Amino acid sequence: MSSVIAQTRFSVLDRSRTREGHDGPEALRDTVRLARDVEALGYHRFWVSEHHGVPGVAGSAPTVLAAAVAAATRTIRVGTGGVMLPNHQSLVVAEQFGVLESLFPGRIDMGLGRSVGFTDGVRKALGRDKHDAEDFAARLADLLAWFRGTSGTGVRARPAEGLTVPPYVLAMGEGATIAAEAGLPMVIGDLRSREKMLHGIDQYRAAFRPSPWLAEPYVVISGNVAVAGTEEAARRLLLPEAWSMAYSRTHGTFPPLAPAERVASLTMTEKERGFYEAGLRGQLHGTEEQVADELEAVLKESGAQEVLVTTSTYDRVGLLDSFRRLARLAGLTPGGGPDRS
């Protein structure tokens, strides 16, 4: 194992993707089960996501799901990737994370994003519009003030005030600069757009300002990683998500994951095929040796301290085997206690 991989943390983000023939409640239970499994493998943290009104995603309430995950695990850090600040009042977000940190001290992460919904209908249902993402920096500062007791409202966020819940910024577009100027860790994806990702990392490091939350830049790169006994088997794990993304780009709705065998046999339009193939390009996949070589290259290029694996697939057995193989090539050791970083 290379020294750069050995020095890197590996974590998991699960979006509670639904699968054909399996309902949303089962997807949520699968998420909790996966958290226990990757904890046993030695992964550093486990995050859940926020999506509203998306047919293929069951994870709509990340702090609620994070509580279930934290209650079902013992040592792995638990958090959100992320809570979308434009959708919520900052006081409520602070209170929710304050409750989580109070119940599971030293294990909670606060991953924060600026998305305002998948469609116009979802944004209308949330009482938001796409322009609400434009004041993300101010919303972020407002949220952090509740933990420091410096809100100008005169209201106190209980039990959040005085607690330290590490915040992370999901960098999309100008998110890298916002994370840097706030002095916060940055999560950036995806591995398919390597040049764009590296540019965002350079922006972040150049603009970084130390803060009470973080003294030096901290970069988490995120994306799909699939490991199997053969390169073809690893690629097969990526097919359901690639087709789901292609379908959403051409039909405007995000469907449940289909079995890889069915996806491989589909007759696609030229436009669908284009999005599908684009979704597969640049993903890290292959045997343990192949993925180790690819990981070493991207880690050297990016200088990232952590990899957040976001792989979703129909085959749950194959998915867990992939995480097991990745843990092995990364030299992860089960049973380590939580830390504050």
Side-chain angles (χ1 to χ4, degrees):
M1 178 177 53
S2 75
S3 59
V4 67
I5 292 177
Q7 295 166 5
T8 303
R9 289 171 168 157
F10 285 81
S11 301
V12 174
L13 166 67
D14 188 71
R15 298 195 301 279
S16 304
R17 293 287 275 113
T18 58
R19 299 177 293 152
E20 288 186 359
H22 304 265
D23 60 15
E26 183 176 356
L28 295 172
R29 292 191 292 270
D30 283 343
T31 291
V32 175
R33 189 178 301 112
L34 180 62
R36 288 196 296 260
D37 289 335
V38 300
E39 177 182 60
L41 293 171
Y43 284 85
H44 183 61
R45 59 181 110 241
F46 188 92
W47 282 4
V48 297
S49 63
E50 175 181 341
H51 295 274
H52 300 285
V54 180
V57 183
S60 57
T63 53
V64 177
L65 186 52
V69 168
T73 54
R74 296 186 306 107
T75 59
I76 195 169
R77 296 193 65 86
V78 176
T80 56
V83 164
M84 299 301 156
L85 280 188
N87 294 339
H88 310 281
Q89 294 297 325
S90 62
L91 171 61
V92 175
V93 175
E95 290 170 338
Q96 289 174 345
F97 280 99
V99 169
L100 284 169
E101 176 65 19
S102 298
L103 292 173
F104 309 101
R107 294 181 57 205
I108 301 300
D109 299 323
M110 186 168 57
L112 306 164
R114 61 196 293 266
S115 173
V116 287
F118 187 64
T119 64
D120 288 339
V122 170
R123 289 189 286 269
K124 182 177 180 180
L126 291 169
R128 299 292 188 267
D129 64 46
K130 61 182 65 178
H131 302 295
D132 285 321
E134 295 173 2
D135 63 348
F136 178 69
R139 289 175 182 270
L140 180 62
D142 189 38
L143 172 64
L144 299 182
W146 290 113
F147 289 91
R148 291 292 185 248
T150 56
S151 170
T153 64
V155 177
R156 313 290 286 273
R158 307 182 192 277
E161 186 175 315
L163 297 180
T164 300
V165 183
Y168 293 75
V169 173
L170 277 61
M172 299 292 290
E174 65 184 87
T177 301
I178 293 172
E181 293 179 348
L184 299 179
M186 177 183 70
V187 183
I188 188 166
D190 62 33
L191 295 171
R192 292 174 303 171
S193 306
R194 197 71 52 86
E195 187 175 335
K196 183 178 179 181
M197 181 187 77
L198 294 175
H199 178 67
I201 292 171
D202 288 342
Q203 276 187 307
Y204 169 70
R205 291 199 174 107
F208 184 82
R209 300 174 184 171
S211 74
W213 300 94
L214 190 67
E216 298 178 346
Y218 189 89
V219 174
V220 183
I221 56 175
S222 68
N224 291 342
V225 181
V227 194
T230 67
E231 184 176 2
E232 179 55 34
R235 186 178 186 276
R236 202 157 49 239
L237 290 173
L238 300 174
L239 301 187
E241 183 76 13
W243 167 243
S244 194
M245 290 295 293
Y247 190 92
S248 72
R249 297 288 298 274
T250 53
H251 294 78
T253 184
F254 205 65
L257 298 173
E261 294 73 19
R262 190 168 78 76
V263 172
S265 66
L266 288 172
T267 300
M268 302 182 191
T269 66
E270 184 177 348
K271 190 173 185 180
E272 289 170 341
R273 177 66 64 179
F275 285 126
Y276 175 69
E277 295 294 346
L280 292 170
R281 280 195 295 272
Q283 306 282 21
L284 271 61
H285 73 282
T287 63
E288 290 176 43
E289 294 77 12
Q290 289 172 320
V291 171
D293 289 343
E294 291 186 66
L295 270 175
E296 183 174 16
V298 72
L299 288 170
K300 285 180 176 179
E301 284 182 319
S302 66
Q305 290 97 328
E306 187 170 342
V307 177
L308 182 67
V309 183
T310 62
T311 313
S312 296
T313 191
Y314 182 91
D315 179 3
R316 302 296 297 186
V317 174
L319 180 64
L320 181 57
D321 181 64
S322 176
F323 281 124
R324 187 179 294 112
R325 290 173 183 271
L326 179 59
R328 186 162 57 219
L329 75 85
L332 303 188
T333 54
D339 60 42
R340 297 303 304 172
S341 54

